[in-house]
Amino acid sequence: MKRIGRVFTAGIAGAAIVGVTACATGTSAQTQASEQAAPLVVEVTAPGPGDRMPSGRDIGVRSAVVAPNGAAATAHPLATQTALDILKSGGTAMDAAIAANAMLGLVEPTGNGIGGDLFAIVWDPKTGQLHGYNGSGRSPMGATLEDMQAKADEFMDGEEIPPFGSAPVTVPGTVEAWGALHERFGRTPFNTLLEPAIRYAREGAPIPEVIAYYWSNGPKRYEPAFESGMLEEYENAKATYFSPPPREGSLFRNPDLADTLERITYKGPDEFYTGETARIMGDYFERIGGHLRYEDFAAHDGEWVEPLCVTYRDEVKLCELPPNTQGVAALQMLQMLEPFDLRQMGFGSADSLVAQVEATRLAFADRAKGYADPAYSGIDPEVFIREGYNAERSQMIDLNKAMAPPEAGFGQADAALNDGDTTYLTVTDKDGMMVSLIQSNYRGMGSGLVADGLGFMFQDRGQLFSLDPAHPNVFEPGKRPFHTIIPAFAFRKDMPGCQTRAVAAEVACPYEPWMSFGLMGGGMQPQGHVQIILNLVDFDMGLQEAGDAARWEHVGGCEPTDDLNGDACESDMGVVRLESGIPPETRAELERRGFTVECCSANGGGYQAIMRDFESGAWIAATEMRKDGSADGY
């Protein structure tokens, strides 16, 4: 038990009494004094949350939002409001998502901004098709593997590309992705979508608790990196973000970002890559000794991609984007978990967690050695979910003990993956469009570099290249690095509705567009996607409850940044991190079965989701209790 509360003393009948302001059972202070007892400290349990009404949702900390027309869930209330304003004015879910993303770049630069990359999955009700967009940028054409190795030798003991400075910076793909997505799915003129972010950048944007906390960590990262020489220039970032870092409840102004967004607004997204902004970026990197140039920005282009999907329990179909992202890992994990009766095992049980953790380790063994830019690796991502492959892999799982570090199974290599800072948002509209969008600067707030007068920080995503020349994810000029950020989308069979429509017995119920969702946080993301699906399907949770439930995370082992034959791939068992809601008995049992367990330090990530209620047609929206976001609708 913990001692809590304000301790006070009082003299009664000559005795010293020590008490606490919290309630406690036992004898009264007067009785203690009369017995001339020694000074007493009353022990009470630590305070906890209040009680919710018995609604059957035992885990959820709040209710999900129900909205008949449109809904939005983002990591900041102002971004959610911005999305709803666009929807109410007649914009599509894509219009609203772009406007919200622009606002998040202002109010949540700890996770995203126009200096980073973007991935999206979009359900288009007009065509009945699911679309994917890869808006990730490439490495500088003028840099070589030898250049990166030299930086690694100078600052990282030769092991990896440095996390800060110009070495890990790749071309930002977000603005180009906005343009491509808007061209296909937008209705509101593009030149109005960034206006809310521009206005708040000039007048002051509100900064809430969790964002302020992460923001305060910036100088602790960047100042040592600047002093060491890893970060070539810091004055611009310091002036833009850290003079001083905004506190909770303050208003943050960024007039430089407002100017940049105005140029993009009135000249179009191409301005960022071929206009004045691109010239400023190219000149800046040349000035500080980096490798990016105007030509790298001018050559950038995103890519429409086909999402990969797998079914689970003949009830749900989960869809993810192919590499260079890690979304395939979530698909592999679900396929491996098919043979296990997780419902019978129970949420938070040792057996359930062992099955999930071992499926993660097997999928991540493939991720470490095969997830890379397919234009360079030559690896068809379908190989990871081919029929029977993951079912065979799952036979290696022994619920009674942890397996040795697994080898990749498809025939063919760091802790940095756990450090990603990202924003995820989802928006749906009255026509049925569903947007699942994720955007990130990667580690911390990014590289620590802010170009002269532009008001945004460049990402450091290039740190996720390998330095092993034999690795599919090795650094090469003009190549996209391995990416952690992944949006998700799920279909589900409307079984009652299907039966109501009297579909013939020999005709299977179709999969209907059901849920747009995501979960932030580096290597936690595919693990989090799987946990959300399991919570909804196997453990019968509601949408908000599925996100509020305690999470686990496996970290360590072999990663896509390692050498193919490095020590991490040969011997690192990794660590299972648990949130405090996982029972102590489960923790002890995992340790008995050979896992290294840490509590309570899991990367909770940042969850947002919107699902369709098939019976009413309404949208149900949920948001992450661990962060500042909100879900709302109309």
Side-chain angles (χ1 to χ4, degrees), residues 492-505 507-513 613-616:
R492 192 167 193 170
K493 290 184 176 180
D494 176 15
M495 297 303 293
C498 182
Q499 294 164 1
T500 300
R501 293 191 297 271
V503 175
V507 178
C509 286
Y511 285 100
E512 306 281 358
D613 183 291
F614 288 145
E615 185 175 352
S616 70

Side-chain angles (χ1 to χ4, degrees), residues 232-437:
E232 297 94 336
E233 188 275 323
Y234 181 53
E235 285 304 311
N236 287 353
K238 185 176 180 180
T240 301
Y241 292 114
F242 308 120
S243 297
R247 58 173 176 79
E248 176 190 358
S250 65
L251 298 178
F252 171 65
R253 294 174 177 82
N254 191 341
D256 286 347
L257 179 61
D259 291 343
T260 301
L261 292 177
E262 276 192 342
R263 285 195 299 275
I264 296 169
T265 292
Y266 294 112
K267 298 181 180 179
D270 285 347
E271 195 282 333
F272 188 87
Y273 299 95
T274 60
E276 179 183 352
T277 302
R279 297 288 182 189
I280 293 171
M281 292 188 293
D283 291 346
Y284 174 74
F285 281 102
E286 185 172 7
R287 175 169 74 81
I288 67 170
H291 292 285
L292 281 171
R293 295 292 184 268
Y294 170 85
E295 290 75 17
D296 292 303
F297 298 103
H300 172 75
D301 201 9
E303 179 185 14
W304 293 100
V305 295
E306 188 76 20
L308 300 174
C309 306
V310 302
T311 60
Y312 182 66
R313 307 248 186 258
D314 194 32
E315 184 176 352
V316 166
K317 181 164 64 173
L318 177 65
C319 299
E320 305 271 358
L321 297 184
N324 53 316
T325 76
Q326 61 176 336
V328 182
L331 305 181
Q332 290 191 253
M333 292 160 64
L334 279 186
Q335 288 186 325
M336 292 180 202
L337 290 169
E338 281 274 12
F340 297 94
D341 190 348
L342 301 179
R343 181 187 298 272
Q344 180 64 34
M345 295 175 186
F347 174 77
S349 69
D351 282 352
S352 171
L353 262 65
V354 169
Q356 295 173 64
V357 170
E358 296 297 64
T360 298
R361 295 177 65 207
L362 287 165
F364 277 24
D366 283 350
R367 182 189 75 158
K369 297 189 176 183
Y371 292 17
D373 185 345
Y376 286 76
S377 70
I379 299 173
D380 182 355
E382 295 277 359
V383 70
F384 300 109
I385 54 172
R386 68 179 184 270
E387 185 175 358
Y389 171 66
N390 288 304
E392 181 179 346
R393 294 278 279 168
S394 71
Q395 295 177 16
M396 299 171 61
I397 298 175
D398 182 346
L399 296 181
N400 296 307
K401 63 180 181 180
M403 73 176 74
E407 292 284 338
F410 72 101
Q412 274 258 82
D414 85 37
L417 289 174
N418 303 309
D419 232 3
D421 291 289
T422 301
T423 200
Y424 174 82
L425 65 93
T426 175
V427 184
T428 58
D429 65 27
K430 60 182 177 59
D431 297 321
M433 182 179 292
M434 305 172 73
V435 176
S436 181
L437 187 152

Side-chain angles (χ1 to χ4, degrees), residues 35 56 207 233 238 450 465 470 505:
E35 294 175 353
I207 304 302
E233 188 275 323
K238 185 176 180 180
V450 174
F465 281 116

